[in-house]
Amino acid sequence: MAKNGYVSWLDKSSLLVKLLFCIPILNIFWAVYRIIKGVTQNKPIILIAGILWIIPGAAFCWLLDLIFILINGKPILS
């Protein structure tokens, strides 16, 4: 289970940084996070979620990330 530097950086980021990346336009950071994590860990569901998070998910998925980060400290599907 290889970890990418970007994935590790986001995992270790403060709660404030994680919450800032939940803002609708900045939520692309979480989409890229999922894509990289899906590829490096060979998890196709996370990869597909990351791809869908970019355009169709941008409308409402940022809210899911916000809720899950507030509750668990991690975005949904991570």
Side-chain angles (χ1 to χ4, degrees), residues 24 27 31 49-65:
N27 200 254
I51 293 168
L52 292 176
W53 223 264
I54 294 174
I55 302 295
F60 65 92
C61 290
W62 65 271
L63 188 58
L64 291 173
D65 277 341

Side-chain angles (χ1 to χ4, degrees), residues 10-11 13 15 18 30 67-75 78:
L10 271 176
D11 284 340
S13 293
L15 183 63
K18 291 178 181 180
W30 288 119
I67 292 168
F68 272 79
I69 288 174
L70 286 171
I71 293 171
N72 300 326
K74 300 187 310 187
S78 66

Side-chain angles (χ1 to χ4, degrees), residues 40-59:
T40 59
Q41 295 183 1
N42 196 21
K43 294 184 176 181
I45 299 296
I46 295 176
L47 175 62
I48 293 168
I51 293 168
L52 292 176
W53 223 264
I54 294 174
I55 302 295

